[in-house]
Amino acid sequence: MDFAEWTAQWITFDHEQNNRSPEASPMFRKTFEAGANLLSARIYATALGIYELELNGERLNENKFLPGWTSYHKRLQTQTFNVTGLIQKGRNAIGITLADGWYKGRIGGHPNNFYGDQRAALLELYLVYEDGRQEIVITDDSWRCETGPIIMASIYDGETYDARLEKDGWSRSSYADHDWLPVSILDHSKQMLIPQENVPTRVMRELKPAGLLRTPTGEDILDFGQNMVGWVSFSLTAPEGTIIELAHAEVLDRDGNFYTDNLRSAKQTTRYVCRGSVNEYYEPRFSFQGFRYVKVTGYPGDMSLEAFTAHVIYSALDETGTFECSDELVNKLQSNIVWGQRGNFLDVPTDCPQRDERLGYTGDAQVFIRTAAFNMDVAAFFTKWLRDLKADQLPNGGVSNTVPDTLPGWDLHSAAGWGDAAVICPWTLYLCYGDKRLLEEQYGSMRSWVEFIRSLGEQEFLWNSGFQFGDWLALDAPAGSYAGATPKDFIATAFYAHSTDLLVRAAQVLGYVDDVARYTELRNRVIEHFNLEFVSKNGRLVSPTQTAHVLALSFGLVEDNVRARVEQSLIQLLEQSDHKLTTGFLGTPYLCSTLTDIGRTDLAYKLALSREFPSWLYSVEQGATTIWEHWDGQNADGSFWSADMNSFNHYAFGAIGDWFYRVVSGIDTDAESSGYKHTVIRPRPGEGLHYARASFQSMYGEILSLWRIEDGKMTIQITLPPNTTGTVFLPNTCQEEVTEGGDRLIEADGIRQVTAQEKDVRLELDSGSYQFQYAWRL
Ligand code: BGC
């Protein structure tokens, strides 16, 4: 429905006037008559806060945390429910429950009431009869309300539920509501209403506890074996008034005790008060927790593991990618990356799901989006988020560091590598899904971002002012700082050039000829000034850090002999550090791919497969089941690097996933023919692996790349889906050596062209499945 079509009124519950706790969740109900011969019944609904509907006693709660999180004052999603089968001839009843959610609860550093101090519901039910008649039921002052068993529900803090206050049958027509209270009408705009854009958030899987621990301090802890996001349900029989409390944590400390310091002020605790019935069941509905361990207190008698279930929630994204190889730790790493994505793709891409943040940090999203788009179909998810980015973009083109913007009015917006999400994310989606519409839609936002940078500072072609996070959490950070050693203006100017470059590419795709010329010129000037400011004539960078070298190379900022020198220096830096990485959020995503680009995939393998600190597999060896925020989140002796900024479910460093798909298995799309219309498959075997397999469900169908080295023989299997073509590189061989399905290459079907390219054979292929074999010599 278009917002102008809404006739319903916002209804709210006046806690003060009704003398109820302001934290308690209000419930609203309304009865109505339905006639015979109903053709269809649809509910359109939304809320300020989060809502759940019931119809004739049935909960319509498959989709969670409705209406989702958007920039609420500008965009508020509405949902449609087909309830034709639930309407009875005669009397019916609808119920709505509201909770604070992101709208009214505390968010980031804000106390409650960030978007508004009133929860409210808006609903229209359309009954359409076979004879074309239509009846409408809307929220208005005829509804009744009361509070019920939900005493408190908060995204960060958990939920308190007193089952003694349940109102049995409250959403049925037969329920006696004479003592319920009148609703209040809230004067609130409807202009920002938009139909649902994102895939819904759902319970996507359920896990049983893997074990029960008694800690040294004597606490009972359920171990679910996996760091995840969602909630825990349980059933029990206990006397009326018994209180069960579940506290949630990601890790145990070095002594094996329950550890919650890293959650900061988020309480993540659910509390249930029993009504005294047989086999009571409870699961929270309006709060989510990030956890692997659950401390249970108050459970009567022996705790049975059977009684507890973890419900894992995230945006219901289709999983599109798989990667596996001959190193089990890497396979665990891939699983950790995917679990990190599950935990943090909860309607918006969040930095973390457990402490008092859970915010849509733009930098984190930007570094991870390419990996995310391999693992899952994130097209709709990011389309919605980018519309919020655009909606929250400042009039001068600046971009908030979190989207939706939870830091408005803060001077500290538009950090390099964070605000650049405005350009990098739409471009990446275009590459992965080949859909020009999003580029078109976001183009104005992309361009204003670049113009914003241009307008900053004293020098048009350098970005050396404004607020910066720098190479966040890099290991070369000076003591007491989260920002790595690479100078912030170096990083900022590098991203300035990069975003301008991607803007040029977007303008090319969209045929904006003038902009292609204008921004090509700008990009060239920025690169020129980058070189004047940060690179000596002989090719020495002002900053001897891995991140500085990686960004200069990866963004194409240095050329010819200067480039050769920078490549050399990067290799020297790695040798000097004994092949240990020092990079943070901004350098790490480009580290291994840059080494591949400069012909040193061997070094990339060394870093990616290293078990020693600092490395990806170090955390795996320490027992990680998701990606850590810090390289040293937990030390080998079980101690923590710090309590303060130490999430164990932060996907940013999981951006290495892109390298496994795109380099080890070699699946990439061609920018000229994006969305995998033309796929380039270039497997790059390396020391430490003898097998790798990646599959990717593209918009055209499944793409497969598998290679295996066995008994001196290389086997490569490739699948290209219908209506696509591919360029495939067979590493380290020549045409005469290779067979396909047992035939010589020149006799095989589907191969259009065979050429030799350096040490590889390059093939132009039609869609289909191929199996290549040749002797493997190093
Ligand atoms: C978040 C990060 C984010 C950063 C930026 C942190 O608190 O968890 O992931 O990008 O702030 O400062």
Side-chain angles (χ1 to χ4, degrees), residues 264 350-352 354-355 357-365 401-402 410 415 418 467-469 472-473 482 585 629 644-647 650-652:
R264 309 201 302 219
T350 58
D351 58 334
C352 58
Q354 74 299 78
R355 69 174 176 230
E357 291 205 87
R358 315 185 188 189
L359 304 173
Y361 272 102
T362 45
D364 308 42
N401 292 323
T402 64
W410 217 37
W418 272 253
F467 169 74
Q468 300 296 347
F469 288 122
W472 193 247
L473 308 188
Y482 291 129
F585 273 31
E629 178 176 25
D644 144 72
M645 189 75 80
N646 203 11
S647 148
H650 231 78
Y651 53 57

Side-chain angles (χ1 to χ4, degrees), residues 8 15 49 74 81 85 149 160 319 340 363 387 395 402 445 478 483 505 550 554 560 591 608 753:
H15 285 76
K74 299 162 195 151
F81 301 77
T160 303
E319 298 203 356
R387 288 178 181 160
T402 64
S445 154
R505 293 183 205 211
V550 161
S554 177
D560 306 327
L591 179 59
Q753 203 190 334

